[in-house]
Amino acid sequence: MLRKVKILQAIRQGKVGGGETHVLDLVNELNKEEFESVILSFTEGPMVEKLRADGFKVYVVPTEKPFNYKVWKAVKKIVEQEKINLIHAHGTRANSNTFSTAKSLGIPIIYTVHGWSFHPDQSSAVKIIRTLSERFLVNMANKTICVSQSNLNEGLSKFPMKDATVILNGINQQKFNPDQTFKNVRAELNIAADAVLIGYIARITAQKEPLNFLRGIAKVPVHLNAKFLIVGDGELKTEMLELATSLNLNDRVIFQDFRSDIPDVLNAVDIFCLPSLWEGLPIALLEAMAMRKAIVATEIDGINDLIQHDENGILIPVSNPDKIAEAITVLIENTGLRDRLGLQAGATVAEKFNIDRMTRSVEEVYRTLVPRT
């Protein structure tokens, strides 16, 4: 009888984010007769709790730093104890804190890039350091997986990538199926059935530009029958709440902490807005598209891989509250346009971003690195 390949799936944090959601879907979809996943997270959080509830063994080695040599010994002990055959590191922090173990034990390591750690808003010095770090991590990996073609192209423009491929993120289209029955989130939150509801469901961090989203909301005409729902947590949450008050938006905006019932929330939404500065291939956007929502998003790498302007969404420039307001206003006033863009968004996901296709592609990578014996 062939033994299972035992994989350490390393994630940077236990909070809910795109990369973490990707791992949750991946480990649940993998062929359980062939692959066994053990999870390593570098913080506690709701994603860790969900993985445990799904029956996975989860280890937490606390650190919020990349290249933290102080935790490498603990990581190595887990890998030896669990008799791991392969490490799959999702993101920079996960890779930088597991590659040493992989190399010292002669275990193959895969690096999935959910967006590079160098960003457009960084200083030149930080960008150089991050680029050199990413070059090193790619070089340490036996295989690099990019979740979008844009991410692969960006990496190749900065350094050699000797063994890299693109495997597009996939969405569970049974979970995110707009034709099923959902609970009434509008009734729960006292939102009128005829109001146009615009949703922002994402981490409230600088990457997602939540403050400019609020500034955009402030420019949407008050007479329109619209409400705004912001779901998520993050380091800018307090600042966002304060800005909403100073912009007199408290009657128009509803804030919710992280929720686990995202399909129900998306069902209640008419328009989904993601005004990010940078992305890998955003899971939150794929989920909204699968639910056939009209999309407003920034024209950046990662989002460009998903949205064609005026075909399956509206693309706007980064850091531009006026354009956020303009796009949202057009969609509030034009039901036909909302419906057309939403239907096309759903068709895009169904055709190209299927979780089964993603998982089968990842399994093929596993097989090339660790043949079963």
Side-chain angles (χ1 to χ4, degrees), residues 15 202-206 232-240 257-258:
K15 296 176 184 176
R203 288 178 296 120
I204 300 179
T205 64
D233 299 294
E235 61 265 24
L236 292 181
K237 182 74 171 277
T238 300
E239 193 173 342
M240 199 179 191
D257 292 336
F258 163 76

Side-chain angles (χ1 to χ4, degrees), residues 11-17 20 41-43 47 93 203:
I11 57 177
R12 65 173 182 157
Q13 61 176 5
K15 296 176 184 176
V16 176
E20 291 70 39
S41 174
F42 290 101
T43 71
M47 188 58 70
R93 189 190 308 171
R203 288 178 296 120

Side-chain angles (χ1 to χ4, degrees), residues 226-253:
K227 287 281 188 180
F228 298 85
L229 176 61
I230 294 169
V231 179
D233 299 294
E235 61 265 24
L236 292 181
K237 182 74 171 277
T238 300
E239 193 173 342
M240 199 179 191
L241 291 166
E242 291 169 352
L243 182 59
T245 300
S246 69
L247 292 172
N248 297 313
L249 294 176
N250 290 336
D251 290 339
R252 304 172 71 189
V253 179

Side-chain angles (χ1 to χ4, degrees), residues 23-168:
V23 173
L24 179 68
D25 287 338
L26 174 65
V27 297
N28 276 298
E29 289 292 322
L30 283 171
N31 182 343
K32 304 298 190 301
E33 294 182 5
E34 188 175 353
F35 303 104
E36 179 182 349
S37 292
V38 176
I39 317 298
L40 170 62
S41 174
F42 290 101
T43 71
E44 291 280 0
M47 188 58 70
V48 164
E49 293 161 15
K50 179 69 172 75
L51 285 159
R52 285 182 177 138
D54 285 350
F56 294 97
K57 185 179 286 189
V58 183
Y59 291 90
V60 177
V61 177
T63 181
E64 296 193 7
K65 297 177 181 177
F67 295 97
N68 185 357
Y69 65 92
K70 293 179 181 178
V71 304
W72 293 359
K73 185 176 180 180
V75 171
K76 185 175 181 180
K77 183 178 178 182
I78 292 166
V79 170
E80 289 178 319
Q81 181 179 308
E82 290 290 339
K83 297 182 170 58
I84 296 296
N85 307 117
L86 172 68
I87 295 175
H88 190 168
H90 299 266
T92 308
R93 189 190 308 171
N95 192 4
S96 67
N97 287 320
T98 56
F99 79 87
S100 174
T101 292
K103 295 308 169 188
S104 67
L105 297 178
I107 295 171
I109 183 167
I110 299 168
Y111 178 24
T112 289
V113 179
H114 297 277
W116 299 105
S117 62
F118 44 83
H119 307 141
D121 65 330
Q122 293 165 340
S123 68
S124 297
V126 169
K127 208 177 292 186
I128 289 168
I129 292 167
R130 293 283 183 92
T131 301
L132 290 172
S133 297
E134 293 286 12
R135 178 176 183 155
F136 173 80
L137 291 172
V138 165
N139 195 47
M140 287 292 103
N142 297 83
K143 184 85 173 182
T144 299
I145 297 172
C146 293
V147 297
S148 71
Q149 187 64 46
S150 293
N151 269 206
L152 178 59
N153 292 345
E154 187 178 16
L156 287 169
S157 74
K158 297 189 181 321
F159 42 73
M161 297 178 68
K162 65 180 186 298
D163 197 351
T165 191
V166 174
I167 299 178
L168 298 172

Side-chain angles (χ1 to χ4, degrees), residues 308-323:
Q308 299 296 312
H309 180 65
D310 206 31
E311 289 186 20
N312 59 353
I314 293 179
L315 292 174
I316 57 173
V318 296
S319 306
N320 195 322
D322 288 329
K323 291 297 184 181

